[in-house]
Amino acid sequence: MNDIIQLLPDNIANQIAAGEVIQRPASAVKELLENAVDAGATEIKLLVADAGKALVQVIDNGKGMSDTDARMAFERHATSKIRQIEDLFRIKTMGFRGEALASVAAVAQVEMKTRRAEDELGTYIEIENSKVIKQEVCSYPVGTSISMKNLFFNVPARRNFLKSNAAELRHIMDEFIRVAMAFPEIFFSLTSNGQEVFHLEPGTLKQRIVQILGNTYNAKLVSVGEKTDYMNIYGFVGKPETARKTRGDQYFFVNSRFIKSAYLNHAVNTAFDEMIPKDSFPGYVLFIDLDPSQVDINVHPTKQEIKFEDEKIIYAFVQAAVKHALAQFSIAPSLDFTLNADIQGLDAVNKPFTDDKKQAVASSNLYQTFTQKNQAHFIERENKSGELKHWKSFFESPAAESESKTSSNYSSSLLQSITPKAAAIQVLPDTPLLQLHQTYIIASTNSGFILVHQQLAHERILYDKYSVAAHGQQMATQKSLFPATLELAAADAALLQDLLPDLTSIGYQVEPFGNNSFVIQGIPADILPGNEKHAIELLIEQFKHFSSDIKFSKREKLIRCMARQQAIKAGQSLSQKEMLVLVEELFACTSPNVTPTGSPTYLEFKEDYLDRMFGK
Ligand code: ADP
Ligand code: MG
């Protein structure tokens, strides 16, 4: 009684993206886990043997199936999740095509046990080659267990096509993680050949992220959260220091469904611009929730690709939300919110905005939420060029460093003040500068004050200088009166030999002297003479440290090492004059707000922000 699964009529079935659903054990894992989620389970266990080639089993405590449904579930286009075409536009479940179990039953031996709460006895069913070979009543707890055995037992060619166990298990873990990440309130476990690989207790999203991605993310996550009537975004991005050279920790979910989108990935990466080295990737776990009618999940057989009604809005929203989050946690002291070329190239952005279009857009909810001034993603209404150029960035205090929701809400109420580009900061010329703890410099600006970290600021200044020198204008050299000789190990000598042309461009004059030794004839003009030997040795050491980092050119690595090495250190006291020069030079840099590796060089405290802090 009360069976819920129905066959989809042909006209609907035909509108559903057809394609191969089961290509490898991991595809079955995805489908079975999603079915368990759709069934409302609070506990889902995945067991695999032989990387899923021998067995994939999912046990859930969801709502189970009636005996008729248990049989029906394996028919093609049999689903309880949609009834009519309109349902395709309001899908809230992971599944809807009614194809997964049918596909599994076609290529494996399947056993299922299931029971609903209202039934006293459950159903046991066995299927092979799409045929039910046994069905009987059984006693079973409420929920469902589906075992898929010997995948492709009847299609040996496909079976041979499977990769090594290590590779297939990796795919399984990927799918497992994608589902487990999206539902932190559900218990998940993964057992492989009898060994529990994952045991994920229900918890918050943050806990789930750390459980899955590891402790390196603990205390290194910045919370992202923006709401509009059109869409919400929430989740976490890793602080810039967690960015890695390899991709892997990037997760995007749209309405709880993991999706692959180079486009949205790009939106997040650009939000990190300047904060992380080029070609390194920030980790993130981001969720976008929006009306299902605004996304088409039906464009790809495994639903990993989707189409948005309005892609560029999503892009801009994601980018702005991430930038906003990073700024909130004072990871980026001040940000330039210009949109990147990709967006500016889009039709909707660079085509004329006619009056008709304007009206239609201006009356939409989406537009209205985007034009509220206290939103991070505020788009300016009037714009000469017609481009979405003048995004506003906002600034906040170090007090918001904590990742709690309250502090984030608190500071967003302070977001009225608008910070222009970092370069527009003007240090007041006639006010004295103050050094604190021989580390920080306080300088008054036209709109408040800034707290500069002397070492990090100097690192930025030197980096810019060396870069200019390395790309043309050679730096001035001061000749050593008593040239020092440097004797090196063979490997280091080879390295230094290699670096000589670059060293010359930044003002060093080093000459080979045979037998792995070198003479230092001159050093950059602005380096204090005296410890040049040590400086070069240190440089080689640092360079070696860096050299696994293939993404940087030799020259870039050298410049970075030099900048770090030569920067004045915290703990050094500075005169008024020195502080003034430092601050002036800092703001002459193209990106004064961050070091080459992405640390902030100063924090800005705006007057109106301070007023608010004092309740004025
Ligand atoms: P879809 O998920 O697209 O509906 P499937 O072939 O995956 O199609 O599943 C068919 C139907 O079987 C589902 O609509 C659902 O009613 C039922 N079903 C599948 N797995 C479970 C489960 N673990 N618990 C309860 N019902 C399930
Ligand atoms: Mg399904």
Side-chain angles (χ1 to χ4, degrees), residues 25 29 45-57 164-174 176 188-199:
V29 163
K45 295 176 191 152
L46 166 64
L47 290 87
V48 299
D50 227 358
K53 294 171 187 171
L55 171 76
V56 170
Q57 181 178 15
S164 69
N165 279 5
E168 294 298 343
L169 190 61
R170 186 66 245 171
H171 284 297
I172 287 175
M173 281 164 54
D174 285 346
F176 173 85
F188 282 92
S189 69
L190 163 56
T191 304
S192 167
N193 290 338
Q195 266 206 307
E196 197 172 57
V197 184
F198 281 102
H199 182 99

Side-chain angles (χ1 to χ4, degrees), residues 36 46 75 82 120 170 173 178 228 236 273 292 301 313 378 432 438 449 462 493 530 548 560 590 601:
L46 166 64
E75 296 288 333
I82 61 173
E120 210 169 308
R170 186 66 245 171
M173 281 164 54
R178 290 163 184 177
T228 69
F236 293 89
D273 254 2
I313 290 288
F378 169 59
Q438 301 182 324
F449 70 88
L462 290 177
S548 52
R560 282 171 181 246
T590 35
T601 52

